[in-house]
Amino acid sequence: MEVDREDGRSQNQLRPLACSRNILHRAHGSASWSQGDTKVLAAVYGPKAGTKKNENPEKACIEVIWKPKTGQIGKPEKEYEMILKRTLESICILTVNPNTTTSIIVQVVNDDGALLPSAINAACMALVDAGIPMKHLAVAICCCVAKSGYVILDPTKLEEQKMKAFAYLVFPNSVRSVLPEGSLRVEGEPIENGIITSVTHGIMSVADYFYCLERGRAASVKLSDFLRRNLQQQSTDSSKAG
Amino acid sequence: MGLPNANGDLSTEVEVDAFRRLFPLHFYEKHLLESISPDARPLGRARETTIALGAVASANGSALAKIGSTTMLAAIKMKVMTPSLETPDEGCIVIDFHMPPICSPIVRPGGPAEAAPVVAKQLSDTILSSGMINLKELSLVSGKAAWMAYLDIYCLDADGALFDTALLSAVAAFSHLEIPVVSLNDDGKIVLSEEQGLSDREPVNKEKRKINLSSVPFSLTCVLHKNYILADPTAEEESIMDTILTVVLDSSSQLVSLHKPGGTVLAYTSAIQDCIALTRQRVKELQKILEEAISGMEVD
C-alpha cells in the first residue's frame, strides 16, 4: 500500500540521523542526537558516591533529569524521567559500582515528533561516551498506526497528532557474534527481538500492535548499524588525535 | 544458624518469615516453581476485587475500589465553565492522583511521591484516549457553558498494582456520576440550581442526568520474572521483581495501552501474548464486578 507522507518518505523510512559525542567538556559523557528536526542533548555525570534515600545501596543507582524546551516541569516530564530511568537501569550493569549514583540530564532542544525515543538514544550514546558499563545498547523507535491500519515509522509531530495511535518501542541492539546462531536464542527468538520498553498512546487493535513490533524490530536493526558505524568511526578519530 | 542444605541455601534451617526477609528472591522462586504465589493464588489470578459506589456523599460521583489490599477512593465534582474557543461544544475532564502519606511507608509529607505524577499522567492519557467519555456530552450550551469534571483519586493503601485500582475506581466513579441540575439565574448565566437557591426554576438539563460510557477500559498489571508471569503483584513482589508490564484493554478487546517501562527481563512475543490473554480474562471479571455494583446501587 503506497502511503503519502508529507515529507515524501516511505512507510518504513527513518528521518536522517545524526549523532555526535563528547560535545560538553565538563560532563563525564555527553551526546547530541537528532532525528530530522527532533534534537535532544544528553549529559552524564557519574558515578558519584552515595545513593538516594529509598534506593538499594548494593547496586548503582541512576537518576534522570528531564528538561523541556520551554515551560515548567510537570507530570509529562516526570513520566519521561521514570521511563528513561527504568530503561537505562535495565541496560546498565548495576553491580559493578555499588552505592553510586549516575545522573543523566536530558535537554530537549527541539521537539518534532518521536521525542522519547530520541532521548533514549541520546542518553544511551552519552552513557557510552562516559564509559559506564552496559549489557547492550538501547535502540528506540516510534511507530504510528493510522486509522486505515497501516504503520509508519519515525513520525513528525504533525503525523503523531493526526494518527490514531502510536507506540514507542525500545529494543536491545542487534548482535554480531562469533558463536553459532542457534545458541543465542531465548525461547526460540533471537535476543534482539525482546522488548526493553514499550509505551503506547491511543487505541489500536492487538494485531496492529504486533505489526508495529515487527516493523520496529526491522528498524532497530538499521538503527543498530548506524550506531555501530558511528561508534567505530569516532573511536578511530580520537585514537588518531591522541 | 545452621549449615546450608543440599540446595545450597538455608531454607530448612531458617523460619519462613526470616527466610522471606533475608532471601526474598529465593522465597518467591520456590513458589513460582510450583506455579503459585505466597498468598496461595495461582499465577494468573488477580487478587480479590471489590467496588463500593457512592462512598463520598458530597461528591457528584464517587467510588471506592479495592484490589487485594490496594485501596483507592475516586470522587468527581462537576462545575460549570465556559468552553474554550477551539472546542465550543466540548466539556473537559481534569484528573488528579494523590498519594497521601497514609498509603505507604515510603511516602513522606512535603513532596509528592515519585509514583504519583506518573500514575496521574498514565491515568489521564488512558481515560482520555480510550474514548470512554464523549466530551460533547458534557456540553450545556454550545460556546457558553459546559461541564468541567474534576476527578480526584486518593490512594489510601498502596500495595501494588496502583494503576489498575486507580483506573477501576475512576471508571466506577464515572458510572455512578449523576450530573447536577442547572438552571439560568437572573444574570443569564447557567448555574447549579442548589447552590444559588434556584430549585424552583426550570432546570436546563432535566432529561440528561447520567453520562453514557462506551468502550470502558480495564487493565491488568503483570510482573515478568525469568519465564514466569505473575499477575496482579503486591508491593513486595513489585519491589523484588522489577519488570512490570501493564496492559489496558477496552470492552471490545482493543489495546488502549501496553506499558512496560524498562526492567531486567526482555519481553518476547510469547510473553506479551500471554499477558494480553490474561488481561482479556480479567476484563470479563471486572465487567461483571462493576455491573453487580451498579445494579446493587439501583436496587437501593
Side-chain angles (χ1 to χ4, degrees), chain A residues 81-110:
Chain A
E81 281 178 8
M82 190 275 279
I83 297 174
L84 212 62
K85 175 177 144 90
R86 298 184 84 152
T87 305
L88 298 175
E89 270 177 358
S90 66
I91 62 171
C92 290
I93 303 180
L94 297 173
T95 45
V96 171
N97 293 316
N99 202 19
T100 60
T101 306
T102 304
S103 303
I104 297 154
I105 297 103
V106 174
Q107 172 69 59
V108 176
V109 176
N110 193 25

Side-chain angles (χ1 to χ4, degrees), chain A residues 196-230:
Chain A
I196 304 177
T197 295
S198 154
V199 179
T200 69
H201 200 93
I203 306 189
M204 57 175 99
S205 73
V206 176
D208 283 340
Y209 181 74
F210 283 111
Y211 191 41
C212 280
L213 283 187
E214 241 181 71
R215 288 303 167 101
R217 282 182 190 129
S220 79
V221 172
K222 286 188 248 176
L223 262 176
S224 300
D225 289 335
F226 169 78
L227 289 174
R228 212 170 242 125
R229 279 196 312 265
N230 194 291

Side-chain angles (χ1 to χ4, degrees), chain A residues 52-55 59 74-80 82-83 85-90 135-136 164 172 186-187 189-206 209-210 213 217, chain B residues 95-97 106 108 114 116-118 120-122 125 129-131 215 226-227 238 242-244 249-250 253-273 276 280:
Chain A
K52 282 163 69 174
K53 214 166 148 206
N54 285 322
E55 300 276 354
K59 293 191 175 162
K75 293 184 201 149
E77 284 74 37
K78 292 283 173 198
E79 195 197 10
Y80 288 153
M82 190 275 279
I83 297 174
K85 175 177 144 90
R86 298 184 84 152
T87 305
L88 298 175
E89 270 177 358
S90 66
K135 298 178 216 168
H136 48 70
K164 159 171 98 157
V186 176
E187 290 179 23
E189 290 192 55
I191 297 184
E192 58 259 28
N193 276 5
I195 309 180
I196 304 177
T197 295
S198 154
V199 179
T200 69
H201 200 93
I203 306 189
M204 57 175 99
S205 73
V206 176
Y209 181 74
F210 283 111
L213 283 187
R217 282 182 190 129
Chain B
I95 303 175
D96 209 1
F97 176 73
I106 326 177
R108 298 310 309 145
E114 258 182 47
V118 178
K121 171 120 193 316
Q122 257 188 288
D125 282 347
S129 70
S130 69
S215 69
K226 296 189 183 163
N227 45 358
E238 273 181 3
D242 62 355
T243 309
I244 302 178
L249 293 176
D250 68 10
S253 277
Q254 297 268 60
L255 186 72
V256 178
S257 158
L258 196 143
H259 190 84
K260 175 185 188 286
T264 29
V265 177
L266 299 176
Y268 294 93
T269 320
S270 50
I272 302 180
Q273 279 168 339
I276 294 184
R280 282 210 182 98

Side-chain angles (χ1 to χ4, degrees), chain B residues 83 87-90 139-146:
Chain B
T87 51
D89 50 1
E90 276 182 9
S139 168
L140 285 167
V141 176
S142 173
K144 300 271 183 53

